[in-house]
Amino acid sequence: SRWLADCAKQSVLMRDWPITVIPNAIDMEVWQPVDRSFARQLLGLPADRPLLLFGSMVGVQDPRKGFDLLQAALNHLRGQLPGLELIVFGQPAPKAPVDLPFPVHYTGHLHDEISLRLLYSAADVMVIPSRQDNLPNTGVEAQACGLPVVAFDTGGLPDIVEHQRTGYLAKSFNTVDLAQGLSWVLSDTQRHAALGQSARQRALRLWSLDTVALQYQELYRKAI
């Protein structure tokens, strides 16, 4: 991400080195949208509810992933967004239920690309409330599957989300703005569809295997 490049430029060791930002590539044939109704049917998710997706392979306790910030944002939405339900993947349901104003589905750990692709396709929006993140694959994969992403404007997340074009970038760690972003994405069906289409097209343009390979080829050509 550009954020990581800036960190390298500020370091004593690498500040005088040539630095080029090339994103990680993903296979766009693997990561592409599936019909939402079909995906929900296969995963046993409600067919007629707005679904918010949050993922963390290390669970909700890691402060860097910002689940506490998401919890605060959802509390700001209490009484709004009728029918909203949350999906948490990457961990099983906790023994002590988390106090949230919306129903929660826990998928546990997902170990295959098909399940993840179905999950991205089943959801209406993905939230990445991280305090610190580089270029999380979940965000890139979600955008490739046509899923709008709401995140904080921090770290490498601005490389993933184009504000109000493929999702929403909230002011860093401002839970009111994060809540507003979720509401903005979900409150207009035409806007939501346009965000998803833009997300897929941008992903194809930036993160496809061919695109990234050409960037490496050009970098090697210049180095030689």
Side-chain angles (χ1 to χ4, degrees):
S1 68
R2 291 171 295 172
W3 167 74
L4 195 60
D6 288 340
C7 291
K9 291 174 184 176
Q10 294 168 22
S11 75
V12 174
L13 177 63
M14 293 180 284
R15 62 189 178 193
D16 296 324
W17 293 8
I19 295 172
T20 301
V21 178
I22 299 178
N24 294 326
I26 61 172
D27 188 338
M28 293 296 166
E29 294 298 319
V30 172
W31 304 107
Q32 61 175 305
V34 176
D35 177 76
R36 179 172 289 120
S37 298
F38 179 64
R40 291 187 178 194
Q41 182 181 2
L42 287 178
L43 295 173
L45 293 169
D48 57 350
R49 301 293 177 90
L51 298 179
L52 169 62
L53 183 64
F54 168 81
S56 174
M57 297 305 294
V58 293
V60 301
Q61 286 77 29
D62 187 344
R64 292 174 300 174
K65 295 300 182 183
F67 185 79
D68 59 317
L69 299 175
L70 173 59
Q71 190 172 3
L74 292 178
N75 281 325
H76 292 312
L77 292 172
R78 193 182 293 270
Q80 304 178 43
L81 300 177
L84 181 67
E85 299 188 7
L86 175 65
I87 306 171
V88 177
F89 71 94
Q91 70 161 77
K95 294 180 180 178
V98 180
D99 182 23
L100 290 171
F102 303 101
V104 185
H105 305 267
Y106 290 91
T107 71
H109 293 286
L110 300 177
H111 302 285
D112 63 277
E113 295 170 338
I114 294 175
S115 297
L116 270 174
R117 178 184 170 194
L118 288 171
L119 198 55
Y120 295 136
S121 299
D124 292 288
V125 60
M126 181 169 187
V127 62
I128 305 179
S130 299
R131 288 181 169 88
Q132 185 182 67
D133 232 327
N134 179 27
L135 196 78
N137 274 1
T138 53
V140 174
E141 293 162 359
Q143 294 268 274
C145 289
L147 181 63
V149 173
V150 174
F152 288 123
D153 187 3
T154 190
L157 292 167
D159 284 15
I160 293 178
V161 181
E162 187 175 2
H163 183 55
Q164 295 188 338
R165 292 292 302 274
T166 71
Y168 189 98
L169 286 174
K171 298 179 183 69
S172 295
F173 322 130
N174 184 324
T175 58
V176 172
D177 198 23
L178 189 69
Q180 289 175 345
L182 293 170
S183 179
W184 183 82
V185 170
L186 291 170
S187 61
D188 186 304
T189 54
Q190 289 186 336
R191 177 195 298 146
H192 180 271
L195 290 169
Q197 291 171 3
S198 295
R200 173 65 182 175
Q201 292 305 312
R202 185 169 182 268
L204 287 167
R205 189 170 70 249
L206 296 182
W207 305 312
S208 69
L209 297 173
D210 289 344
T211 297
V212 174
L214 287 173
Q215 292 179 60
Y216 275 107
Q217 185 181 50
E218 178 62 15
L219 178 62
Y220 295 153
R221 187 191 65 78
K222 289 180 178 178
I224 292 172

